[in-house]
């Protein structure tokens, strides 16, 4: 009897052991099943999670191509700006005729601008972005057909745009019109695209998508690499004549025709025989900064003034060429 109980107990124990042995493999199969469940959940969740994942790169991919060229273009404009100048032209009586834009093409002060700007002038000054003012000796060469003029300013070393590396952009290429920071209230550059290229028997022209106001005349046009692609002048081939971009190739062809020893002169200036020679060359020996007006209101502005001196060097009269925007600043200056 005892043997029967013993056999029964052994049988029960054997059943329990076999049951545990049979169940134990199921748990390992569940533990690998956990990663499988995780991976199986991800695919099942991917219909809901996948759209955001795919949507996230999409805006980045759509913004990046358009934002990066603009950033590069603005960087190129900033690099070009120091060579761009504000040109003020005067008549024989010292009256301001007009102001416009130009840019240096050599480090010795040669610069190009619109011929319309200097027409009828006998004197001019070139103001750079660092607020320095250079006297303009005269015109070295001009082309009425291209509305282009090359002038010479009195300076030893300036920022300039080299024309040995020019480019003709394709249609749709992004470019920037770079103006003078002294003459533009809405920033120094305008971004646009090349709309078309054309040529006539005189030059090669580029049309832009954006309109070109008169104040952009004489401004350089550069690409994303900062390479000059042209200058804005009046295209006489259009009826009526309108601003267009004279290509850098045509600009370079114009400059190569200028003789190295060409003399700068003003067409409307009196002949040298009738011009009295100065007894001595003047120079600035005292240049105090103007006292800024005191007050609670903060007033800012930049102005240009012409000062007349007598033979002893004393200032006798001051003309406002460009107001600082506030009478109190003009009086202080």
């Amino acid at each position: 009897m005892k043997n029967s109980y013993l056999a029964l107990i052994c049988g029960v124990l054997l059943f329990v052991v076999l049951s545990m042995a049979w169940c134990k493999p199921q748990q390992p199969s569940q533990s690998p099943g956990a990663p499988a469940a995780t991976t199986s959940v991800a695919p099942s969740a991917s219909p809901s999670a996948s759209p955001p994942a795919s949507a996230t790169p999409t805006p980045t991919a759509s913004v990046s191509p358009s934002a990066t060229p603009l950033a590069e273009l603005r960087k190129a404009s900033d690099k070009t700006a120091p060579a761009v100048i504000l040109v003020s032209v005067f008549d024989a009586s010292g009256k301001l005729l007009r102001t416009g834009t130009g840019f240096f093409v050599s480090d010795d002060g040669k610069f190009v601008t619109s011929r319309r700007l200097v027409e009828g002038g006998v004197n001019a000054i070139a103001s750079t972005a660092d607020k320095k003012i250079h006297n303009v000796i005269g015109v070295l060469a001009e082309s009425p057909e291209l509305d282009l003029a090359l002038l010479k300013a009195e300076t030893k070393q300036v920022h300039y745009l080299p024309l040995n590396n020019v480019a003709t952009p394709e249609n749709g290429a992004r470019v920037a019109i770079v103006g003078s920071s002294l003459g533009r209230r809405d920033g120094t550059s305008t971004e646009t695209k090349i709309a078309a290229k054309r040529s006539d028997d005189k030059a090669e022209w580029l049309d832009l998508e954006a309109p070109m106001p008169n104040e952009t005349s004489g401004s350089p046009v550069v690409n994303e690499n900062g390479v000059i692609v042209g200058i804005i002048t009046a295209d006489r081939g259009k009826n009526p004549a309108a601003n267009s971009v004279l290509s850098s190739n045509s600009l370079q062809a114009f400059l190569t025709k200028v003789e190295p020893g060409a003399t700068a002169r003003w067409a409307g200036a009196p002949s040298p025989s009738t011009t009295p020679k100065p007894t001595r060359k003047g120079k600035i020996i005292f240049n105090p900064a103007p006292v800024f007006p005191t007050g609670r209101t903060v007033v800012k502005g930049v102005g240009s003034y012409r000062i007349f001196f007598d033979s002893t060097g004393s200032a006798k009269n001051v003309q406002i060429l460009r107001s600082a925007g506030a009478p109190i600043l003009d009086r202080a200056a």
Side-chain angles (χ1 to χ4, degrees):
M1 194 70 179
K2 289 182 180 180
N3 291 336
S4 299
Y5 280 118
L6 185 61
L8 180 62
I9 291 171
C10 289
V12 171
L13 289 174
L14 180 63
F15 176 77
V16 172
V17 172
L18 289 175
S19 299
M20 291 178 64
W22 180 81
C23 293
K24 215 164 191 180
Q26 292 299 100
Q27 293 198 353
S29 75
Q30 232 162 358
S31 108
T38 307
T39 50
S40 69
V41 168
S44 66
S46 76
S48 60
S50 178
S54 62
T56 304
T58 305
T60 307
S62 64
V63 171
S64 178
S66 59
T68 302
L70 281 177
E72 292 299 320
L73 201 55
R74 284 166 190 157
K75 190 187 299 183
S77 300
D78 293 341
K79 189 176 180 180
T80 302
V84 182
I85 55 177
L86 182 70
V87 185
S88 303
V89 182
F90 307 91
D91 63 11
S93 66
K95 179 184 176 182
L96 177 66
L97 287 177
R98 59 191 76 90
T99 60
T101 309
F103 60 93
F104 289 113
V105 292
S106 66
D107 61 352
D108 63 351
K110 295 184 183 71
F111 68 91
V112 289
T113 186
S114 166
R115 181 184 178 274
R116 291 173 297 170
L117 175 64
V118 301
E119 192 171 8
V122 299
N123 190 23
I125 56 173
S127 304
T128 52
D130 57 3
K131 309 295 175 62
K132 291 182 179 179
I133 298 177
H134 307 279
N135 181 54
V136 179
I137 303 172
V139 180
L140 290 167
E142 58 184 349
S143 171
E145 295 83 8
L146 303 179
D147 184 33
L148 195 61
L150 175 68
L151 296 92
K152 177 72 169 66
E154 287 183 315
T155 181
K156 294 181 180 179
Q157 192 78 26
V158 291
H159 294 279
Y160 71 98
L161 299 181
L163 291 175
N164 56 352
N165 183 18
V166 298
T168 302
E170 297 298 326
N171 292 348
R174 291 184 179 273
V175 293
I177 304 170
V178 186
S180 168
S181 58
L182 303 177
R184 297 280 297 276
R185 290 175 294 181
D186 56 346
T188 58
S189 68
T190 302
E191 292 82 17
T192 181
K193 292 181 180 180
I194 300 295
K197 295 185 291 184
R198 53 190 172 80
S199 59
D200 52 31
D201 56 344
K202 297 182 180 65
E204 180 184 43
W205 302 90
L206 306 173
D207 292 329
L208 303 180
E209 286 186 352
M212 290 165 280
N214 288 333
E215 57 264 26
T216 62
S217 185
S219 300
V221 181
V222 299
N223 63 13
E224 297 168 5
N225 298 320
V227 177
I228 180 171
V229 300
I231 177 175
I232 296 183
T233 64
D235 183 1
R236 306 289 184 183
K238 290 184 176 180
N239 191 14
N243 277 347
S244 191
V245 181
L246 180 71
S247 75
S248 53
N249 291 323
S250 297
L251 173 59
Q252 193 174 35
F254 166 79
L255 295 176
T256 55
K257 294 178 182 178
V258 181
E259 296 292 335
T263 302
R265 60 180 297 273
W266 291 101
S271 61
S273 59
T274 60
T275 304
K277 294 183 179 181
T279 54
R280 60 182 179 178
K281 187 176 181 180
K283 64 178 181 178
I284 296 176
I285 58 174
F286 181 60
N287 185 24
V291 179
F292 197 86
T294 57
R296 296 182 179 178
T297 305
V298 178
V299 182
K300 295 182 180 180
V302 177
S304 299
Y305 310 86
R306 168 167 285 203
I307 307 173
F308 295 87
F309 301 91
D310 62 13
S311 58
T312 65
S314 301
K316 292 298 182 183
N317 187 25
V318 179
Q319 288 183 354
I320 301 175
L321 302 182
R322 185 165 63 91
S323 172
I328 191 172
L329 294 182
D330 291 334
R331 286 194 298 271

